[in-house]
Amino acid sequence: SQLCVLGAGPGVRVGGFLDRFVGMLSGLLGILKSWAAYLPLDPEYPQDRLAFLLTDSRASIVLTDRALASRLPTTEAKLLL
């Protein structure tokens, strides 16, 4: 999967910045299949809260979609759309 190509695996934290239901469910399934740790990132969180979560967790990948990507704070994590 693309998550594995980006380095997802045991010990790697992957943020899920997705709308609820179908997008989040399929994203969570992909993260779990790669054996990575899931970091839930709610699109309703304020920017400073998202920035803190991403920095504190040291998430290396964030799974999102094009509509939400612009709402993410600047991060060193790789974005997977």
Side-chain angles (χ1 to χ4, degrees):
S1 78
Q2 288 185 341
L3 282 170
C4 292
V5 170
L6 290 176
V12 175
R13 290 168 233 25
V14 178
F17 189 65
L18 298 162
D19 284 323
R20 300 186 195 280
F21 306 114
V22 177
M24 188 166 78
L25 186 59
S26 61
L28 177 58
L29 182 60
I31 292 167
L32 294 176
K33 284 179 76 173
S34 71
W35 291 94
Y38 171 62
L39 172 67
L41 299 169
D42 192 327
E44 300 298 318
Y45 286 164
Q47 288 277 315
D48 57 342
R49 174 77 175 147
L50 291 169
F52 171 77
L53 288 170
L54 289 166
T55 302
D56 190 55
S57 69
R58 291 177 275 146
S60 57
I61 303 168
V62 176
L63 183 61
T64 189
D65 61 27
R66 292 189 195 285
L68 293 173
S70 63
R71 295 173 46 192
L72 274 171
T74 303
T75 179
E76 292 182 17
K78 301 169 194 161
L79 293 183
L80 178 57
L81 303 175

